Amino acid sequence: MEVRLAKSAGFCFGVKRAVDKVYEQIDTGKTIYTYGPIIHNEEVVSDLEQKGVQVIADKEALQALIRQWPEHSEDGAVIIRSHGVPKEIQQMIEESPLECIDATCPFVKRIHKIVEKESHAGKYIVIVGNPGHPEVEGIMGWCEGPLTVLETEEEAKDLSLPAEMPICIVSQTTFNYNKFQHIVAIFREKGYNDSVVNTICNATEERQKEAREISSKADAMIVIGGKHSSNTRKLYEICSSECANTYFIQTLEDLHLELPKAAFLVGITAGASTPNKLIEEVQNYVRINF
Ligand code: F3S
């Protein structure tokens, strides 16, 4: 029997880079903070907590930390997670005695640079994405002029912008490509002078595509990820539509795998915040026991 692990399972490039940066910093002996939890995975966050990494919840907490930080002490560092932060937050850290370690994913950083440059040049910025998501809040904070965040076609239809103002449309990295195209088409119909930059990252799409491919051939499919992780749930939906024998597990303890007698392929994939260690554990367990 073959066990096939999806190459795109687990952390994407940007999240892996950010998590690695935190672990690297632990060895420096400095007091390490992350602005917001580095990743939406309780195990990783509590492992880091045990190693002394502290989470700064918001701007107020950051201000309080900077206020009480000894002026000449260079023994602390704040790590910005892959989602990025508004320019104001980054500047606050940089101007403080704490070291600023920017682990913003380069794909997100690219959006910051685009909106900063285009809004500086006088363009109206339209961000297609979820306004409550930290990545979008970060992007908003790099705009120097008027902006709108929207996520549905209805919102795009209802929006009326000053006709004389050129606009620049970007998207949240995890936004659905087809939906983005539809929204762009609405702006085109309205005849705005627009420039569109497709800033969607294909890590999520790749992961879903590969999950579909493997599960369509598998006798059983295991999807690993947090209960509350929406991208893991999406993977589970895709896999169960292709393979009736699909298991959604958070840890190895949840796995009660029952395979048909003639099983020849078990597939494994994992959501974006699932650590490698856990994926390997599940993979080894299936290889050894079946
Ligand atoms: Fe991950 Fe960066 Fe893409 S954080 S999903 S590689 S934008």
Side-chain angles (χ1 to χ4, degrees):
M1 191 195 69
E2 186 192 345
V3 179
R4 194 176 303 166
L5 171 66
K7 287 191 204 76
S8 54
F11 293 178
C12 61
F13 151 78
V15 168
K16 182 174 182 310
R17 183 172 165 272
V19 173
D20 287 351
K21 271 197 198 257
V22 183
Y23 279 98
E24 276 164 27
Q25 287 300 316
I26 291 170
D27 301 329
T28 61
K30 287 187 174 182
T31 309
I32 307 299
Y33 300 88
T34 61
Y35 189 80
I38 194 76
I39 181 178
H40 289 295
N41 180 284
E42 286 161 31
E43 274 185 55
V44 176
V45 174
S46 74
D47 180 52
L48 288 172
E49 213 174 76
Q50 276 167 21
K51 294 185 163 70
V53 178
Q54 300 173 50
V55 176
I56 302 171
D58 50 25
K59 183 177 157 189
E60 284 67 42
L62 176 65
Q63 280 168 326
L65 174 69
I66 293 173
R67 263 199 308 274
Q68 55 92 46
W69 194 262
E71 213 177 308
H72 299 294
S73 162
E74 290 179 357
D75 288 343
V78 181
I79 302 175
I80 296 174
R81 58 187 175 177
S82 56
H83 292 321
V85 291
K87 189 174 183 177
E88 182 199 10
I89 300 289
Q90 184 161 336
Q91 280 177 340
M92 259 164 83
I93 306 169
E94 281 171 354
E95 285 160 12
S96 79
L98 291 142
E99 186 185 352
C100 178
I101 298 171
D102 187 3
T104 306
C105 175
F107 298 126
V108 177
K109 201 70 226 164
R110 174 175 169 243
I111 312 179
H112 293 174
K113 289 199 180 122
I114 294 169
V115 298
E116 189 179 31
K117 179 167 162 255
E118 299 295 350
S119 59
H120 188 78
K123 289 193 184 172
Y124 190 105
I125 305 294
V126 176
I127 305 166
V128 180
N130 171 358
H133 192 282
E135 179 193 320
V136 173
E137 286 168 6
I139 298 169
M140 291 164 72
W142 288 84
C143 296
E144 294 185 359
L147 69 111
T148 294
V149 182
L150 52 86
E151 57 181 337
T152 66
E153 291 174 43
E154 286 65 42
E155 287 170 299
K157 280 179 193 150
D158 292 346
L159 186 71
S160 131
L161 297 175
E164 68 291 350
M165 205 168 177
I167 63 173
C168 170
I169 308 176
V170 295
S171 69
Q172 186 178 346
T173 54
T174 48
F175 203 78
N176 176 284
Y177 178 72
N178 288 337
K179 259 175 92 181
F180 179 66
Q181 291 297 94
H182 290 143
I183 290 173
V184 167
I186 293 167
F187 280 98
R188 289 270 149 90
E189 272 167 30
K190 290 189 178 191
Y192 289 119
N193 170 10
D194 61 23
S195 58
V196 179
V197 194
N198 174 6
T199 47
I200 295 172
C201 161
N202 60 10
T204 312
E205 206 185 313
E206 281 285 305
R207 196 182 296 110
Q208 293 177 357
K209 207 170 112 201
E210 203 187 1
R212 188 184 298 281
E213 267 164 30
I214 298 179
S215 57
S216 68
K217 296 178 201 126
D219 300 290
M221 187 76 196
I222 303 167
V223 181
I224 318 164
K227 262 206 308 283
H228 304 295
S229 151
S230 58
N231 78 84
T232 313
R233 185 147 294 281
K234 180 80 194 160
L235 283 178
Y236 175 70
E237 279 166 25
I238 293 172
C239 293
S240 3
S241 72
E242 298 290 337
C243 170
N245 215 3
T246 295
Y247 296 78
F248 186 159
I249 61 165
Q250 291 209 85
T251 64
L252 185 56
E253 278 85 73
D254 304 334
L255 183 62
H256 305 291
L257 187 60
E258 282 176 32
L259 291 179
K261 277 212 171 64
F264 70 97
L265 178 66
V266 175
I268 302 174
T269 188
S273 357
T274 309
N276 243 342
K277 203 173 110 224
L278 177 57
I279 302 174
E280 269 164 31
E281 246 173 52
V282 173
Q283 185 182 205
N284 290 340
Y285 172 84
V286 181
R287 282 194 206 284
I288 293 165
N289 292 288
F290 292 91

